[in-house]
Structure formats: C-alpha cells, structure tokens
Amino acid sequence: MPVHRGRVGRPKCEVLARELRSRNSAVEVSLMQRRIINRADLDTLTKADLIVLSADSPGITELVNAHCVTTGQVWLNVCYVNDIAVWGPLVIPGVTGCWACQRLTARDSPGNTELDILISRINSRYQSPSHGSTNMPAAALASLDVLKYLGGFGSVQSLNRKVGLWTHELRLDEQSSPRNPECPASGSMRASSKSSV
C-alpha cells in the first residue's frame, strides 16, 4: 500500500482491516490486536481456516508451531531474511512436515551461556531493515499459496518446504521440510487420512 497519512503510526492489523473493508464491504473482518507471549495467548485466538504468521519475536515460530500441531491448525510463516523474501513451510498437521521437523533456522545452543549472552547482545543492537521491496514479494507469494490451499487449486509452493526469493539476484532457493517421524513436535501424530495437497 502506498504511504498514506491515515496509515502512518497506526497498527498494521488496523490498517489492513480498514483496507480490506474498503475494498469489499461484504467481507467480514475480525480484528484482534494482541501480543503473543505464550500458549495461553494462542488459545484465545478464534479457530480459522489458516493462520499466517508474520512476526520476528524470538521463539514465536516454535510457539505457534507447537500450538498449531496440538490443535490441528494449518499455518504458514511469512518473513524476510535481510533481502530474501521468505514463506513456508505451509504446515498441515498430520499431512506435511511442521516447523520442528527439520532445522530451518539457526537456534541457540542449549547450555552454552557465553553464546546465549553474545546472541542476546547482538539481537539487542541489530535488527534487519524492513522494506517493501522484500516484504511485498514475500506477502504476495505467500498469499498465492494461501489462495491455492484454501481454494483447492494449483500447486502450493511451500508444502514441505521453506521458499526464499533472493531479491538482489531474482533467484529462488528452498529448504526441504518433509515430515520427520522423530520430530519432537509432530513425530507421534498419525498421518492424516486427508489426501495431500
């Protein structure tokens, strides 16, 4: 969306809800603005066909994944890594791999206090810049996967994989994320009878 005086300084969810309503007055938009800190916060969310996570709080993807695997909620992560637009994997509990099935991001080393302190210091001083030329492709490509999944058409690109578009050289990259029977989050789930998408 172009910069507009009514959008500057407003919460993203409020602006998005207003813009969706302005484009289609028949659409029902439920606005829930809250900070997700723990599983209890996630338990207050209304059941939806799909959750799209676009957040960068430490541990949020693991928290949302654990909640969604437990409740059977389909979800998709959308983000950026520097100038790489990233989306996926689309997690369908019992059908696809989940966020914890494969190591998709660097994680803290448990018990390494010196490394934990160093990571905390770096993260407190540095945040990757957010800009439209990376965010918009991530949102557009993730939206297309959401529409394909919910509409039951086409090929969903983020099934069992995390996809990245390198914006500085227009190259696609992917990390495979198939189901892992040893996964601590979803390994014990029986494969769903739902056909794969």
Side-chain angles (χ1 to χ4, degrees):
M1 287 182 272
V3 174
H4 183 275
R5 284 174 51 193
R7 297 181 190 126
V8 175
R10 306 301 314 156
K12 291 176 191 174
C13 60
E14 182 182 300
V15 172
L16 179 59
R18 186 180 69 224
E19 294 300 320
L20 288 171
R21 289 181 188 120
S22 75
R23 284 163 176 73
N24 183 349
S25 60
V27 73
E28 183 181 325
V29 178
S30 300
L31 179 62
M32 294 176 62
Q33 181 180 342
R34 66 173 50 118
R35 181 176 284 283
I36 303 296
I37 304 294
N38 54 42
R39 285 287 302 274
D41 296 329
L42 289 166
D43 290 338
T44 65
L45 298 178
T46 306
K47 180 72 172 163
D49 294 324
L50 188 142
I51 290 176
V52 175
L53 175 67
S54 179
D56 56 7
S57 302
I60 191 71
T61 49
E62 291 81 4
L63 182 67
V64 169
N65 185 70
H67 170 78
C68 290
V69 166
T70 302
T71 62
Q73 174 69 61
V74 178
W75 78 282
L76 174 68
N77 188 51
V78 183
C79 63
Y80 62 91
V81 178
N82 295 320
D83 66 337
I84 306 168
V86 178
W87 74 104
L90 176 69
V91 177
I92 307 169
V95 176
T96 67
C98 77
W99 185 263
C101 279
Q102 307 298 325
R103 191 172 203 156
L104 297 173
T105 58
R107 297 185 182 132
D108 296 346
S109 299
N112 188 338
T113 308
E114 186 177 328
L115 181 59
D116 290 344
I117 291 169
L118 179 61
I119 290 170
S120 293
R121 282 182 40 217
I122 291 170
N123 287 337
S124 70
R125 292 190 318 247
Y126 175 78
Q127 181 177 358
S128 181
S130 174
H131 48 87
S133 61
T134 303
N135 294 342
M136 288 189 303
L141 293 165
S143 295
L144 185 57
D145 268 2
V146 167
L147 291 172
K148 288 177 180 178
Y149 171 74
L150 294 176
F153 67 90
S155 177
V156 178
Q157 299 303 305
S158 57
L159 282 178
N160 290 313
R161 66 180 156 217
K162 180 178 164 187
V163 186
L165 171 63
W166 294 66
T167 58
H168 72 283
E169 55 186 81
L170 294 179
R171 174 173 60 92
L172 283 177
D173 207 349
E174 68 179 57
Q175 289 176 285
S176 180
S177 182
R179 282 191 65 158
N180 176 359
E182 305 298 318
C183 174
S186 65
S188 62
M189 291 183 76
R190 287 187 45 222
S192 170
S193 58
K194 179 179 176 180
S195 61
S196 42
V197 179

